């Protein structure tokens, strides 16, 4: 990983660091949840329906596509304000995914260590 790339911790409380310095997580619980779910998914895309179930679980039946699109937009804005390189949130028809190297998240590093063991 290059200098300025954010690192994320999801094995425990959500932690964000850039250049070893902590960065406050998004203020919105929905945007934090969206970031966490996308990080847990790795580079696997999540459909709008999956995101609604995972992020808006308690009110999934009252949440629509527009809420997901608005939250993704807010997450993109938040990521764009991070110092260093901005990881993109992509939509490819199959769903949304956060494009970060596997080693950018502690979960990705953990999975790589398990595979190599």
């Amino acid at each position: 990983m290059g200098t300025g790339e954010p690192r994320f911790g999801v094995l425990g409380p959500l932690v964000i660091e850039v250049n070893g310095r902590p960065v406050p997580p998004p203020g919105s619980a929905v945007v934090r949840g969206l970031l966490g779910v996308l990080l847990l998914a790795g580079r696997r895309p999540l459909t709008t329906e999956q995101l609604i179930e995972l992020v808006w679980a308690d009110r999934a039946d009252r949440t629509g596509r527009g809420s997901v699109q608005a939250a993704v937009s807010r997450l993109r804005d938040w990521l764009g304000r991070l110092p260093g390189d901005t990881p993109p949130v992509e939509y490819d028809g199959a769903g949304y995914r956060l494009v970060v190297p596997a080693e950018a998240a502690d979960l990705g590093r953990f999975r790589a260590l398990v595979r190599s063991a």
Side-chain angles (χ1 to χ4, degrees):
M1 281 191 32
T3 302
E5 292 179 354
R7 295 178 68 91
F8 301 93
V10 293
L11 298 175
L14 180 62
V15 175
I16 301 109
E17 293 180 348
V18 177
N19 294 326
R21 303 184 83 173
V23 175
S28 161
V30 167
V31 176
R32 276 193 314 275
L34 182 60
L35 175 60
V37 164
L38 291 172
L39 286 166
L40 288 171
R43 294 182 71 120
R44 183 174 47 93
L46 296 175
T47 66
T48 300
E49 293 75 21
Q50 288 172 314
L51 290 173
I52 289 171
E53 285 296 319
L54 294 167
V55 177
W56 289 268
D58 61 336
R59 56 188 188 275
D61 58 336
R62 300 182 311 271
T63 302
R65 195 174 243 22
S67 296
V68 174
Q69 292 168 339
V72 167
S73 178
R74 289 172 39 212
L75 176 58
R76 285 176 175 144
D77 288 346
W78 182 83
L79 289 166
R81 291 191 300 271
L82 284 178
D85 300 330
T86 301
V89 178
E90 293 181 345
Y91 180 80
D92 66 3
Y96 291 95
R97 66 180 168 191
L98 180 62
V99 182
V100 294
E103 68 273 8
D106 58 357
L107 179 59
R109 293 187 302 276
F110 173 78
R111 287 177 174 158
L113 288 170
V114 169
R115 279 191 302 273
S116 69

